[in-house]
Amino acid sequence: MAKTCIIYDRTNLKGKDRALPCVQRVDRCKAAVSAIGGDIVGVFEDVGVSGSEGAKAPARDQLMQRIKAGDIDYVVVPDLARLSRSVVTIMNITSEMKASGAELLIAHDLVRE
């Protein structure tokens, strides 16, 4: 049975400046999902959102609600900084993921260009 995967990306850029980097990062995540034989069941993107601690990230909040349902195996991010730039926030998120049975997968570690 294929692993269920959600992709998450965040950028603090808005408009056309964000389009190409985001597309490339999401494509790298899709390649990582393919490499593990997973199925993508959702893609969440925060645009124009800071990665600092306490920053509001609506798509990340939606992602976390989806994970709490307990049917996600992997959350795939292009690199750790896309999840957050705050170590405290990353620790809290990964703790919640683990409690719900999901693992964090860093696409950069699996897919090299």
Side-chain angles (χ1 to χ4, degrees):
M1 187 167 154
K3 300 290 186 182
T4 56
C5 302
I6 290 179
I7 293 172
Y8 175 75
D9 190 24
R10 177 200 54 77
T11 181
N12 62 352
L13 300 175
K14 292 183 179 180
K16 66 178 181 176
D17 293 336
R18 64 149 297 268
L20 186 58
C22 284
V23 168
Q24 290 172 337
R25 288 193 306 257
V26 170
D27 285 348
R28 181 177 279 183
C29 289
K30 289 177 180 178
V33 171
S34 179
I36 64 166
D39 287 330
I40 299 168
V41 296
V43 176
F44 296 83
E45 292 181 272
D46 277 312
V47 178
V49 172
S50 169
S52 63
E53 184 175 356
K56 296 194 184 304
R60 189 176 63 207
D61 293 343
Q62 292 172 353
L63 165 90
M64 296 310 294
Q65 288 302 316
R66 178 71 169 84
I67 290 168
K68 289 177 183 176
D71 61 344
I72 301 301
D73 296 306
Y74 293 102
V75 174
V76 184
V77 296
D79 59 70
L80 199 53
R82 298 302 98 206
L83 186 59
S84 177
R85 292 197 180 271
S86 162
V87 173
V88 171
T89 301
I90 290 170
M91 289 174 51
N92 290 337
I93 289 170
T94 55
S95 178
E96 287 183 45
M97 285 180 192
K98 186 175 181 179
S100 298
E103 294 182 47
L104 182 62
L105 183 68
I106 310 296
H108 180 76
D109 294 345
L110 283 177
V111 180
R112 303 284 182 192
E113 291 181 17

